[in-house]
Amino acid sequence: MTVTGSGPGRRERLKALREASLHRPVLARHLSDGFNGRWSRRQWATASLFASMGLLVAAIVPGFSNDTTAPAHAPRQSMALALPPLPARSPEQARGDSWQIVTVQSGQTLGELFEDLGVPAATLQQILAQPSAKTALGRLRPGTELAFDLPVGGGLRTFRFDRDDTHRVELHIEGDSIKETVIERPVETRTVVATGEITSSLYVAARKAGLSPAAIAVLTDEIFQYDIDFNTDIQRGDRFSVVMDENWREGERIGRGKILAATFSTGGKTYSGFRFERGDKAEYFSPDGRPLKKSFIRMPIPYARLTSGFGSRRHPVLGRVRQHKGVDYGAGTGTPIMAAGDARVQFVGWKGGYGRTVVLDHGRGYTTLYAHMSRFGKYKAGQRVPQGSVIGYVGSSGLATGPHLHYEFRINGVHRNPLSVTMPPPEPLRGAALAEFRAQTGPALARIQQVERIIYADVGGEADGGQVAKAEAPKDGKKG
């Protein structure tokens, strides 16, 4: 269409044509102008976006639906069941509800315990007036258990304590009177085998094996002290086994008893000791029935240093050469001096240059002399002295330049060197005593061997460790 001319008329015709073109219908083919049968990359991206949005809407919209239809449940019914009646408590049970168990702590006194529980001091004095209570409660040890029967709104009704390991005492308080009841608590004795291997020290290994310090002392100072020097002979890998009694009460171990047998392996050799009562005295014997305890110990002072030997020497005080008829052990003033063997005290007192001196008569012509003491022990002339008992203390009395022990050993009055003299052997078991000893020691040795075969089947043992194995069924604790 052609528009010709100029002026106002022409402008009006152009305006009319523009409005007519804006209101003209648009044909569909105009939208696809340029489409040749293939989608462009932009068209594919747009289509993918709309498709993803459609899937998302389809997934979300059902969640907003109000349709909460759920499958129907079966109808429920309730039934009341009658509970069985609670059993009525007996008076003893009701009484037991008021018991309060108190464990004594370090530093606590009986008066403080009673005061903390609100028990009057007058009641405490009333209890301590009882002979059994005065003896058992006179010195409380930490860990002791005391029981108080204290009903609500009332005073102390019953007080309970252990008199010893086998007896429990109940004091029933009724006004100004007290009724005492003693309850026997059975104690059973079980025999066990404890064994260990040393890697750093005997004490550590023995404690881990379950031995108490007292049991370790029996092992070192009583059973094997004559055969093993525990200062120099002990090596890594040495082993020990101990057969001992354990005391049990009401399922609880309350202590360990005597050592029945022991073995100690060191330096490629095994030493054994077995407990046996000869007469009224318990001793330890070798497997063939010879006492392990020798008639004499070499050193009356343990771990002392030898300062002067036996023989000719120049006297340190007199300054001239003379026979030294004994040996000297240097030690600090006050060091205990032990009797070298079982003996009767022959002399106690001052003896010239010897100073304070003790002479012991061991029988069969054997005597020993101990000189230069600072003070004497408790034994007097004529008394019997067991081996190892303290008869005096190191000093420097008499002709002495410093504190030491002068020790002499005589046989039929003749001085002998205590370090080299052949000591008389102890008397072995014979006859019926030997037969009884062998009957007792056989089972004990078999138990040790059985446990050691099990524990040491593999090479090596636990470091500084020990194990305790049950050796036999529980038995009465009255065996000797």
Side-chain angles (χ1 to χ4, degrees):
M1 182 178 184
T2 304
V3 178
T4 60
S6 61
R10 183 174 180 273
R11 284 195 298 269
E12 291 177 359
R13 287 194 297 271
L14 289 175
K15 182 179 179 181
L17 289 174
R18 184 165 56 251
E19 291 178 353
S21 63
L22 290 174
H23 291 86
R24 183 186 304 161
V26 178
L27 299 178
R29 59 186 179 88
H30 293 155
L31 292 175
S32 58
D33 188 31
F35 180 73
N36 57 2
R38 296 182 181 178
W39 282 11
S40 65
R41 182 176 300 174
R42 182 176 180 180
Q43 291 171 329
W44 278 109
T46 302
S48 299
L49 177 61
F50 280 98
S52 299
M53 292 177 64
L55 292 175
L56 185 61
V57 171
I60 294 177
V61 169
F64 294 93
S65 174
N66 292 326
D67 185 9
T68 56
T69 304
H73 293 286
R76 297 181 180 180
Q77 294 181 355
S78 299
M79 180 180 295
L81 297 176
L83 295 176
L86 293 174
R89 292 188 302 173
S90 65
E92 182 66 25
Q93 287 174 322
R95 172 178 172 271
D97 288 347
S98 60
W99 280 101
Q100 297 189 38
I101 311 298
V102 177
T103 301
V104 178
Q105 305 298 320
S106 179
Q108 278 188 320
T109 65
L110 194 62
E112 292 172 347
L113 291 174
F114 272 68
E115 184 179 355
D116 291 342
L117 293 172
V119 180
T123 303
L124 173 59
Q125 296 303 320
Q126 188 181 2
I127 290 174
L128 290 177
Q130 306 298 312
S132 59
K134 185 176 182 180
T135 302
L137 304 177
R139 296 180 63 183
L140 285 179
R141 293 180 298 175
T144 301
E145 285 191 354
L146 305 175
F148 297 79
D149 181 17
L150 289 165
V152 178
L156 180 63
R157 184 164 49 190
T158 307
F159 178 63
R160 185 173 68 201
F161 61 91
D162 290 336
R163 188 176 69 188
D164 50 43
D165 287 342
T166 59
H167 296 90
R168 171 167 287 174
V169 177
E170 284 193 354
L171 299 178
H172 307 274
I173 303 169
E174 298 177 359
D176 295 333
S177 65
I178 292 182
K179 179 182 178 183
E180 180 179 295
T181 302
V182 179
I183 304 170
E184 186 171 356
R185 307 179 71 188
V187 175
E188 63 180 12
T189 301
R190 305 176 186 178
T191 302
V192 299
V193 178
T195 185
E197 181 174 337
I198 301 170
T199 62
S200 63
S201 75
L202 170 62
Y203 185 84
V204 172
R207 291 293 285 155
K208 287 191 175 182
L211 273 65
S212 66
I216 297 173
V218 171
L219 199 69
T220 58
D221 301 340
E222 188 171 348
I223 301 178
F224 298 120
Q225 69 163 328
Y226 302 97
D227 298 311
I228 302 172
D229 186 339
F230 287 95
N231 290 315
T232 60
D233 294 346
I234 302 303
Q235 303 174 10
R236 181 185 180 91
D238 289 349
R239 293 173 178 171
F240 61 88
S241 295
V242 176
V243 179
M244 57 187 175
D245 284 341
E246 287 185 344
N247 299 322
W248 289 74
R249 184 188 63 206
E250 299 171 0
E252 177 186 3
R253 189 181 70 194
I254 59 175
R256 288 200 164 103
K258 53 187 174 291
I259 293 179
L260 305 178
T263 63
F264 205 105
S265 299
T266 180
K269 186 176 180 180
T270 298
Y271 301 90
S272 301
F274 300 87
R275 189 180 189 275
F276 183 73
E277 290 190 5
R278 179 165 55 175
D280 295 331
K281 187 178 180 181
E283 300 178 60
Y284 288 93
F285 296 81
S286 63
D288 59 357
R290 292 187 177 275
L292 295 179
K293 174 184 175 181
K294 303 298 187 289
S295 299
F296 293 88
I297 54 179
R298 294 283 183 185
M299 296 176 60
I301 304 177
Y303 317 121
R305 66 187 187 280
L306 182 68
T307 58
S308 184
F310 183 87
S312 180
R313 67 160 191 178
R314 182 178 297 277
H315 196 279
V317 177
L318 300 177
R320 62 176 181 265
V321 177
R322 59 185 295 182
Q323 188 72 12
H324 190 227
K325 298 180 179 181
V327 294
D328 292 344
Y329 293 104
T333 300
T335 302
I337 301 170
M338 300 182 299
D342 296 337
R344 185 181 298 276
V345 179
Q346 187 181 87
F347 175 84
V348 177
W350 190 276
K351 196 175 182 66
Y354 287 117
R356 294 182 182 88
T357 303
V358 172
V359 179
L360 302 181
D361 182 0
H362 303 276
R364 294 182 293 174
Y366 293 89
T367 60
T368 54
L369 178 146
Y370 313 78
H372 304 309
M373 293 183 178
S374 60
R375 57 190 177 97
F376 301 114
K378 63 181 181 179
Y379 296 99
K380 308 298 181 182
Q383 288 185 315
R384 298 292 304 179
V385 180
Q387 184 185 68
S389 299
V390 176
I391 57 173
Y393 301 86
V394 170
S396 54
S397 59
L399 295 178
T401 58
H404 72 283
L405 167 68
H406 175 77
Y407 173 58
E408 294 182 4
F409 192 93
R410 305 176 186 179
I411 302 178
N412 297 322
V414 179
H415 291 84
R416 305 292 295 272
N417 186 351
L419 302 180
S420 60
V421 66
T422 301
M423 301 294 183
E427 288 294 323
L429 296 172
R430 303 181 186 278
L434 180 60
E436 183 181 357
F437 168 77
R438 287 175 174 169
Q440 288 185 14
T441 59
L445 184 59
R447 286 194 288 268
I448 290 178
Q449 293 172 343
Q450 179 184 11
V451 171
E452 288 186 346
R453 278 196 300 268
I454 295 173
I455 295 177
Y456 300 120
D458 298 329
V459 178
E462 295 184 2
D464 266 354
Q467 300 189 33
V468 179
K470 181 119 175 244
E472 66 178 13
K475 65 178 188 305
D476 245 344
K478 297 184 179 180
K479 176 191 168 190

